[in-house]
């Protein structure tokens, strides 16, 4: 109805009750749905030909590339008992500041004068080394004296042997002379006996010649005995020389043995002294570790050991520290099938937890509130979670990352790859192909991954 009159009949007549109106209404709705369907179909077809940036969607967290800039635990080098805390959680500490003081819990270090006592032991051992040095010098002088005495004795006996041999020669000459005399006297006796038989010599003269022969014979026998005795004396001197050399050899061997024993004892004392010096150095160094200090400047974030009197072991974590100066990076984990697609310097879009952003992964130009970075490191071994670790650093000459980012902040990352039509990406995802399945230029990347280190020839 046209509703021209002021008297409306809309309240008394409902158009929906007429079948003709229902038919007209139904046809109108069907045409609208059809038009909308055609519109969205055309829009979808157009969208399929729009450019799309392929990307790898993954998660990670904020970290630092430098190991010394990451959150670290402060451990105790030695076992001890906590006596005093010098910091509270959240305090800023400079490098070398004292964090906690601990005392000894091992019985071998309880002696408060352990350094002085160890120093006394070292001094005593040093004196024993000097005593052994003096003993070695005395034994060496004794050995030299015995060697000189042996030389003197040897020369003395050798001279006696020479004298004895000279006497043997003289006695031999005398014996020869006496034998000549006895021959003469025998000849004289024979001539006298002949003359006596002829009556030319008297019996007295004959007896004198016989006596003379006996006298010369006795002299010869005496000289023979004297020569034999002289030879025996020379033999005895030679035996005495051998005995003296043997005696002195025994004495010098004993002296050398005692000298070697003294040297060995000296070396043992040197080793014991070195061990004591090592212990003294260890004791001195150990006392330095009673004060646990900050390895670098930063903020104390968590005290793991809390109570006074609490016992800690070697290597136990006492507290954690966050460096005050650090360079941010993002640590991501990528599936193994995506690793061959990555390259150093590749672009990455990042969305940090706590910073609002609108992300359209395929159209990064349309994203808002995202930050950019570059791939700087790719692990060549798989992590325990079954993925590969990738490090991303801020990209220069772009929007800086948020100033208040802290370690451990969650990150949603979109590693950008090639630009392709939307229909290609949908078809690739349905078939499970890698993003650059048909990219012939990818061969260089694969060759780079398979590149081996040059082999140097060994001469």
């Amino acid at each position: 109805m046209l509703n021209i009159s002021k008297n409306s009949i809309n309240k008394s007549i409902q158009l929906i009750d007429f079948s003709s109106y229902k038919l007209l209404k139904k046809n109108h709705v069907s045409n609208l749905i059809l038009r909308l369907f055609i519109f969205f179909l055309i829009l979808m077809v157009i969208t399929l030909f729009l450019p799309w940036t392929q990307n790898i969607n993954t998660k990670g967290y904020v970290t630092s590339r430098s190991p010394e800039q990451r959150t670290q635990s402060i451990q105790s080098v030695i076992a001890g008992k906590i006596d005093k805390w010098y910091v509270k959680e959240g305090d800023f500490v400079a490098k070398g500041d004292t964090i906690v003081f601990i005392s000894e819990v091992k019985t071998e270090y309880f002696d408060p004068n352990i350094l002085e006592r160890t120093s006394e032991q070292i001094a005593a051992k040093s004196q024993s080394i000097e005593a052994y040095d003096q003993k070695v010098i005395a034994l060496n002088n004794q050995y030299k004296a015995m060697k000189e005495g042996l030389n003197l004795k040897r020369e003395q006996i050798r001279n006696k042997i020479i004298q004895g041999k000279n006497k043997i020669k003289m006695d031999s000459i005398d014996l020869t002379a006496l034998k000549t005399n006895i021959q003469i006297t025998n000849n004289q006796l024979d001539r006298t006996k002949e003359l006596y038989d002829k009556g030319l010599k008297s019996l007295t003269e004959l007896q004198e010649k016989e006596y003379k022969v006996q006298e010369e014979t006795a002299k010869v026998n005496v000289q023979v005995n004297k020569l034999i005795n002289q030879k025996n004396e020379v033999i005895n001197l030679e035996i005495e020389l051998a005995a003296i050399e043997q005696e002195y050899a025994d004495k010098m061997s004993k002296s050398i043995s005692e000298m070697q024993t003294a040297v060995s004892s000296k070396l043992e004392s040197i080793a014991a002294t070195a061990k004591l010096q090592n212990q003294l150095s260890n004791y001195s160094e150990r006392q330095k570790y009673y004060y646990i200090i900050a390895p670098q400047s930063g903020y104390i974030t968590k005290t793991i050991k809390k109570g006074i009197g609490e016992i800690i072991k070697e290597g136990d974590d006492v507290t954690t520290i966050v460096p005050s100066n650090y360079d941010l990076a993002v640590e991501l984990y990528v599936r193994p099938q995506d690793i061959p697609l990555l390259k150093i310097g590749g672009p990455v879009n990042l969305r940090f937890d706590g910073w609002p952003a609108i992300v359209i992964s395929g159209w990064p130009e349309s994203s808002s509130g995202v930050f950019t970075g570059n791939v700087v490191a790719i692990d060549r071994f798989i992590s325990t979670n079954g993925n590969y670790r990738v490090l991303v650093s801020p990209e220069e000459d772009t929007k800086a990352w948020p100033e208040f980012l802290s370690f451990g902040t969650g990150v949603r990352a979109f590693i950008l790859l090639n630009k392709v039509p939307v229909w290609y990406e949908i078809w690739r995802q349905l078939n499970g192909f890698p993003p650059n399945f048909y990219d012939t230029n990818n061969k260089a990347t694969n060759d780079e991954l398979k590149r081996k280190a040059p082999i140097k020839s060994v001469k």
Side-chain angles (χ1 to χ4, degrees), residues 136 138-154 241-261:
V136 170
L139 290 172
N140 191 26
N141 292 334
Q142 182 183 9
Y143 176 78
K144 290 180 179 179
M146 285 189 293
K147 192 173 182 180
E148 292 176 357
L150 173 62
N151 291 332
L152 292 176
K153 283 285 186 180
R154 185 186 290 119
L241 176 61
I244 289 175
E245 289 183 348
Q246 182 65 35
E247 179 183 358
Y248 274 87
D250 292 340
K251 291 181 179 180
M252 288 189 294
S253 297
K254 184 178 180 181
S255 177
I256 291 173
S257 176
E258 292 178 353
M259 186 163 53
Q260 293 297 330
T261 301

Side-chain angles (χ1 to χ4, degrees), residues 454-459:
I455 300 175
K456 297 182 179 180
S457 59
V458 180
K459 296 183 179 180

Side-chain angles (χ1 to χ4, degrees), residues 323-354:
S324 56
N325 297 320
Y326 51 85
D327 298 324
L328 290 177
V330 170
E331 182 173 320
L332 306 174
Y333 287 91
V334 179
R335 297 177 303 173
Q337 57 265 35
D338 295 331
I339 280 294
L341 311 177
L342 302 183
K343 62 180 180 180
I344 302 297
V348 180
N349 279 353
L350 303 169
R351 183 185 67 80
F352 298 104
D353 291 348

